Amino acid sequence: MDLLSSQPPDDPSQSSISDQASCTPLPTIPYTTCYCEENIYLLGSSLVEVQSRAGSNGEIFVVVISNATRSVAIWQQAASRMSAEEDYLVVWDYHVILVAKFANNRAPFAIASHGSHQGTMNSAAGEDEVGVEGSPEYHQAGNQGVWVYDFDSRLGVPCPWDRYVQHTFRASTIVAAGPDPQNSPFNPKFRCKFRVIPVADYLANFASDRSHMRMESPADGVEVYRSPPPSYPPIVGQGAKERGETNNLMTQFVDMGVGESSEEGEGDRYGVVFDDWEFLQDTQWMTHLRGTS
């Protein structure tokens, strides 16, 4: 499918600066390039702790983004090799973000944007293969007070839900197209699925030994990391630790299948998987997930 290139109505990288000005900063959170799942784990842990100390209410969800081909098109990414004309497209194998709804329709907790590569970039596809047509601004009732934390976004951290999903996933175009692949605004193999997990479940059950980031060096066959790992030990949540699990990232979180066992290994999957048009049309999925943790 040919690329139908277009410019966003405004420069979205500048659009959330005023929103962030009133945010309360979080304590410094360790960040490691290429380990988005761990960066979001640490962010989620920090948000839960700060909210608890402040006695404030909030709904926090971790969202893992991937699909059956491990090739998802995501725009406005700081790691993009594309230009503004292509709206800074990246095709990732998977990506991890955090979505939170705070009281009073504002984001009380802000962090500095690192603007670095998270996960593994799938460089096999460019904008010509994806094919996309941009769309105007996107606003849906009921989304006020919902914020997205994406360390790799050019849109600011945090970013209001409507703004983030429109510029990052082409929300209005995807929702209008619906589930029929014949109506897809771009190559269907690049469309996202979203696994949404209550933060408590993610913190308790996540486990990664970082083996997905290791490879044999083409020079000497020695096993090396694709990108340097974090300086702290691998993360294993308390629930995973009690079950003796040390690595379930790819099988129980990134794998977008449904049911009790994954295609890549045994074990329960966490959260609920949504097609892109379901997840992006509004934030009613939050209601669906309340009380599931």
Side-chain angles (χ1 to χ4, degrees), residues 210-251:
R210 301 168 181 161
S211 57
H212 67 292
M213 291 298 292
R214 295 197 288 267
M215 60 176 287
E216 285 190 2
S217 168
D220 52 20
V222 175
E223 192 173 72
V224 296
Y225 281 96
R226 300 172 189 271
S227 183
S231 57
Y232 52 83
I235 296 174
V236 178
Q238 185 60 39
K241 188 179 299 182
E242 292 171 358
R243 295 188 299 272
E245 297 177 12
T246 59
N247 188 41
N248 61 21
L249 167 64
M250 305 305 287
T251 58

Side-chain angles (χ1 to χ4, degrees), residues 14-28:
Q14 302 300 316
S15 58
S16 60
I17 293 174
S18 61
D19 296 312
Q20 292 175 319
S22 60
C23 296
T24 301
L26 282 170
T28 301

Side-chain angles (χ1 to χ4, degrees), residues 13 23-24 70 80 106 145 157 175 188 194 217 223 252 255 260 263 272 282 292:
S13 67
C23 296
T24 301
R70 299 277 170 89
S80 177
R106 62 191 295 268
V157 185
V175 171
F194 298 83
S217 168
E223 192 173 72
Q252 296 177 35
D255 188 309
E260 294 186 350
E263 296 175 0
V272 177
D282 53 40
T292 62

Side-chain angles (χ1 to χ4, degrees), residues 124-136:
E127 72 276 22
D128 289 329
E129 187 176 354
V130 174
V132 66
E133 181 175 7
S135 49

